[in-house]
Amino acid sequence: MTRNLLRAWSFLALMAIVALGTSSTAEAAVKLRVTSAADTITIEDGDVNDGAAVPNNISYGGSNFGDFSFHVTLANASDSVQPDLMHLRVSAASAGAGDLKVEFTKTDLDFETLQLYISWGGSLAAGGDTDYAAYYDTANVEFAATTLIGSLTALGTPFAASTLPGPSPSTTPYSFTQVFTIRHNSAGGASNVDMNLVNVPEPALLSLLGLGLAGVAALRRRRAARS
């Protein structure tokens, strides 16, 4: 009887872990778009401009691009229900005033999310400012800024902040888009920013995981006591 209970509790814990971390989607499309002054480039996951060999990751570096003398962008996105759904990192330098806009999008997502929020941190060139926002679109359109999940603005350096949980898509498929803009003044300089779109795991799944693990622990303690 005890052995059967142990197997049942272990199965509950395993099912919760699978639901939290391994539920997958159809093959989703990942793209990055960078704009400065009159220059714009769009990089798709795996194309000739993508420096990352790993799927769902894009790496791009450019020099003398628009107003900026140098920038590096690293972006990755998840295909399953993970705490970190999208991550965007931008390093940018300019010799003078200018704006740099980076958009990161992923379409064809079909997993459920409960609550979403955004977080970021980094450093700015003296006198610079920046803003970051994340959106979802239930029409599944790439780069669509339809429903705002959250937004942040930084005027000083260093900085770190996050938003309260915002809305999440209620139908599938859908797209996520991160939008980041940095502005340097006439003095120019260098800025480095990390941004995340984060999923709050569903309480029911966490409860199931806790129930399973607690049951396994209780049965093991009972078995140890009998020994």
Side-chain angles (χ1 to χ4, degrees):
M1 179 65 177
T2 300
R3 180 176 298 176
N4 290 336
L5 283 174
L6 180 59
R7 288 175 178 170
W9 289 119
S10 299
F11 179 77
L12 282 175
L14 177 61
M15 289 302 97
I17 292 171
V18 169
L20 281 170
T22 61
S23 56
S24 61
T25 70
E27 188 66 23
V30 180
K31 290 185 180 182
L32 183 77
R33 184 164 65 195
V34 184
T35 304
S36 182
D39 293 341
T40 297
I41 185 170
T42 301
I43 304 103
E44 188 167 357
D45 188 15
D47 74 13
V48 294
N49 292 306
D50 179 14
V54 181
N56 294 317
N57 287 258
I58 294 177
S59 175
Y60 175 72
S63 58
N64 299 318
F65 184 87
D67 297 321
F68 281 74
S69 57
F70 182 76
H71 73 273
V72 175
T73 303
L74 303 172
N76 60 72
S78 174
D79 261 340
S80 61
V81 182
Q82 303 287 342
D84 293 329
L85 296 177
M86 299 182 80
H87 176 226
L88 179 62
R89 179 186 305 159
V90 178
S91 299
S94 70
D99 296 358
L100 181 73
K101 182 178 183 179
V102 180
E103 300 163 275
F104 181 42
T105 193
K106 185 162 188 171
T107 57
D108 302 321
L109 293 164
D110 62 8
F111 55 82
E112 293 183 4
T113 58
L114 182 67
Q115 295 185 94
L116 302 170
Y117 71 92
I118 62 173
S119 64
W120 73 342
S123 60
L124 288 173
D129 67 271
T130 180
D131 52 70
Y132 161 49
Y135 303 85
Y136 70 81
D137 177 55
T138 53
N140 197 32
V141 177
E142 62 185 33
F143 299 112
T146 305
T147 302
L148 178 67
I149 298 168
S151 62
L152 294 164
T153 299
L155 302 175
T157 188
F159 63 92
S162 62
T163 64
L164 294 172
S168 61
S170 57
T171 60
T172 61
Y174 57 88
S175 64
F176 282 141
T177 299
Q178 293 175 293
V179 181
F180 166 73
T181 305
I182 190 165
R183 290 166 287 271
H184 285 178
N185 64 17
S186 58
S191 297
N192 299 278
V193 185
D194 271 276
M195 291 149 281
N196 290 283
L197 172 61
V198 182
N199 177 52
V200 180
E202 187 173 357
L205 290 178
L206 293 179
S207 297
L208 179 61
L209 176 60
L211 180 63
L213 294 177
V216 170
L219 287 173
R220 290 190 181 279
R221 285 196 299 269
R222 183 182 301 177
R223 179 178 293 178
R226 289 176 178 175
S227 303

